[in-house]
Amino acid sequence: MKWQKALLTLLKERKDSSIALAIDTSARPAHPLLIQNIVKLFETARPDTLLVQADFKIRDVSPIGTAVIKYFKHGKSSYTEVLEWAKEEKIDALFYITDVTGYFYEELEVNYEVFWLVPDDYLPRVPFGKPIQVA
């Protein structure tokens, strides 16, 4: 329950910021109910959140309450397109549910907050931003 409180605090602190929740859909998650609960938390706390579904490209961007999450089986994941999208859309804080095994262009400039929500018992090193273990 510790991560839920931390995540809720982050969302409340950013009540006047534009936020987005991205989900790595490159593979079926080990804990799909956990992912659903995270989405529900965002939907309840910040109903204005945009939900971005992406693997090696953005598959869907929609309001969080209307999205149906679709996973793929290829396992390829790139964060580049989502990170560029967040910059173009002037997102202040991007929350990304992923195992952090994807790639991105190293030259990419990220001038907003990124929180990596890792639904696993192992918390890998993240390239930038702040990791939050949500397992």
Side-chain angles (χ1 to χ4, degrees):
M1 291 302 233
K2 186 178 180 181
W3 66 264
Q4 292 98 326
K5 188 173 183 180
L7 192 52
L8 194 54
T9 300
L10 288 171
L11 292 174
K12 286 181 179 179
E13 289 172 352
R14 284 149 188 81
K15 67 177 180 199
D16 296 325
S17 301
S18 61
I19 65 168
L21 175 63
I23 298 178
D24 177 356
T25 58
S26 63
R28 187 118 184 102
H31 309 288
L33 184 58
L34 175 62
I35 306 299
Q36 289 175 343
N37 287 337
I38 294 169
V39 172
K40 195 64 157 168
L41 176 69
F42 274 79
E43 186 179 347
T44 302
R46 288 290 308 265
D48 60 328
T49 300
L50 288 174
L51 182 67
V52 181
Q53 297 180 60
D55 45 27
F56 58 88
K57 66 179 184 176
I58 292 176
R59 300 285 184 167
D60 183 62
V61 177
S62 55
I64 198 156
T66 64
V68 175
I69 301 169
K70 181 178 179 190
Y71 294 99
F72 297 86
K73 297 180 181 175
H74 51 69
K76 295 176 186 170
S77 181
S78 170
Y79 306 127
T80 301
E81 198 169 321
V82 174
L83 295 169
E84 288 174 339
W85 171 88
K87 183 177 181 179
E88 289 169 13
E89 294 297 316
K90 297 183 177 23
I91 299 296
D92 296 315
L94 175 67
F95 295 81
Y96 212 130
I97 302 173
T98 181
D99 58 7
V100 196
T101 59
Y103 61 92
F104 64 95
Y105 294 131
E106 302 237 352
E107 307 82 37
L108 193 64
E109 181 183 324
V110 177
N111 57 359
Y112 49 87
E113 291 183 294
V114 177
F115 298 94
W116 304 94
L117 307 180
V118 183
D120 201 344
D121 294 329
Y122 171 72
L123 187 62
R125 187 169 176 221
V126 297
F128 50 83
K130 181 177 183 210
I132 300 172
Q133 191 170 22
V134 293

